[in-house]
Structure formats: structure tokens, C-alpha cells
């Protein structure tokens, strides 16, 4: 079955606080499930770049309902995306730094140094190990 997305007008009505409770709850579940397309459109509506005629959406989210929550979630999501990108950029450098040490020292560094507490570093090391295994 094809995935169903709400229409742009449905998203705009949600942002303006015009949806009834049941459709709003369905839309919230859809957004919380991580639909990137709908999250991006909702973010666009709340950031003021809405199409002409969507006056309430351009002014920001409604004061009641889910509006404030989604503004905070979208802002936190954007901040987290930037943090993940920074971690991914730093991962090769951190891996090289870590691998310069003997194995027992690596364990100590990973356990005690917050710089090495990175999912991006783990992913980089796993990808490197998989590439080495394929070449061996």
C-alpha cells in the first residue's frame, strides 16, 4: 500500500491551528513517525516562507495545541542534524587519532574521553573494518 501524506493545505491548516482534534492527532502521529517530506513542509510553513495567503502560518505557530511543541521539535531537529553533520565530519580525524594508540590505551580513551563518545565515530570504525575485511 502506498504511503499517504497529508496535503499541503492540510499541513497549513494544522500549522494555523484549524484542524479538529482527530485529524490533528493523525497528523501528529505521521510527523512523529519521522516523515521527512511532511516535516520539511511543516518547517517551511512555520518559518515564514509560506505561500501568499497563509498569513497565520507566516506569523508562526498557533499558541495552543501542538504548535509550540512542533516549533521546538523542529528547531531541536535542525540543531541535531547540524551536530550529526559535525560528528560525521570529525569521525575520520578522531579514528586516526584513536588508532595511533595501542589497543589497551584505545579502550581507556574511549571509556574516559567524551570526544570519542560518538555514534559517527563508531559508524566510521565499523565501515573501515568492513572495508578491511572485504579486502583481506
Amino acid at each position: 500500500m502506498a504511503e499517504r501524506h497529508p496535503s499541503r493545505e492540510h499541513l497549513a491548516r494544522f500549522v494555523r491551528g484549524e484542524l479538529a482534534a482527530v485529524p490533528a492527532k493523525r497528523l501528529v502521529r505521521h510527523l512523529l513517525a519521522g516523515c521527512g517530506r511532511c516535516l520539511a513542509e511543516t518547517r517551511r510553513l512555520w518559518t515564514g516562507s509560506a505561500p501568499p495567503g497563509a498569513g497565520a502560518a507566516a506569523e508562526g505557530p498557533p499558541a495552543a495545541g501542538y504548535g509550540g511543541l512542533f516549533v521546538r521539535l523542529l528547531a531541536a531537529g535542525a540543531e541535531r542534524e547540524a551536530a550529526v553533520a559535525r560528528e560525521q565530519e570529525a569521525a575520520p580525524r578522531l579514528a586516526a587519532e584513536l588508532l595511533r594508540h595501542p589497543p589497551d590505551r584505545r579502550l581507556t580513551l574511549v571509556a574516559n574521553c567524551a570526544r570519542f563518545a560518538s555514534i559517527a565515530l563508531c559508524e566510521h570504525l565499523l565501515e573501515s573494518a568492513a572495508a578491511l575485511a572485504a579486502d583481506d
Side-chain angles (χ1 to χ4, degrees), residues 12 14 16 36 44 46 55 63 89-90 93 95 104 113-114 118 124 131:
F14 172 73
R16 292 190 305 260
R44 186 187 68 74
W46 268 327
E89 186 179 315
R93 179 184 47 78
D104 58 333
C113 188
S118 162
H124 178 79

Side-chain angles (χ1 to χ4, degrees), residues 38-132:
C38 293
L39 282 169
E41 178 65 14
T42 304
R43 179 182 293 144
R44 186 187 68 74
L45 289 168
W46 268 327
T47 58
S49 57
E59 296 170 15
Y66 292 107
L69 170 65
F70 272 94
V71 167
R72 290 190 304 277
L73 287 174
L74 291 170
E79 291 169 13
R80 184 64 193 135
E81 284 176 333
V84 167
R86 286 190 301 271
E87 286 181 13
Q88 289 171 335
E89 186 179 315
R93 179 184 47 78
L94 285 172
E97 181 181 336
L98 189 61
L99 294 173
R100 284 194 295 263
H101 297 280
D104 58 333
R105 175 77 176 133
R106 291 178 203 159
L107 291 174
T108 302
L109 286 169
V110 168
N112 296 306
C113 188
R115 292 181 313 120
F116 297 110
S118 162
I119 291 174
L121 174 60
C122 291
E123 288 174 344
H124 178 79
L125 291 170
L126 287 170
E127 289 169 4
S128 297
L132 288 171

